Amino acid sequence: MWVSLVLVIVGILAAIFFLDADDLVNAGIRFLVLFAVKDALNSISIVGPYITGLFNGVYGFLATILLTLLVVHFVKKYFKM
């Protein structure tokens, strides 16, 4: 539970301070590709659930980053900050 909260906070800080909101298209493509393959890996019999769990964590981290980048892009575009 607390690991998810740490990932959310780190994702928000990384998106604000280290990533560029103009790179929103590439981040969105990465997000969609990860979404497409994260459940497909569950079909591997022995290690599938572990790989899917790892990808779900990365997916949650990227979702936080992408949402923060969307907000930053919106603020920069419409409020000229």
Side-chain angles (χ1 to χ4, degrees), residues 19-33:
L19 297 175
D20 189 21
D22 296 331
D23 195 31
L24 195 58
V25 174
N26 290 334
I29 291 171
R30 279 183 241 132
F31 183 73
L32 290 175
V33 167

Side-chain angles (χ1 to χ4, degrees), residues 47-68:
V47 294
Y50 300 111
I51 294 174
T52 303
L54 175 75
F55 272 58
N56 281 334
V58 172
Y59 181 73
F61 182 67
L62 280 179
T64 305
I65 289 176
L66 190 61
L67 183 62
T68 307

Side-chain angles (χ1 to χ4, degrees), residues 3-17:
V3 175
S4 299
L5 182 64
V6 169
L7 279 175
V8 167
I9 292 170
V10 169
I12 290 171
L13 292 175
I16 290 172
F17 293 118

Side-chain angles (χ1 to χ4, degrees), residues 15-16 19-22 69-81:
I16 290 172
L19 297 175
D20 189 21
D22 296 331
L69 281 177
L70 279 169
V71 170
V72 168
H73 179 73
F74 179 77
V75 168
K76 281 184 179 179
K77 184 174 182 177
Y78 294 108
F79 296 113
K80 307 288 185 199
M81 295 181 97

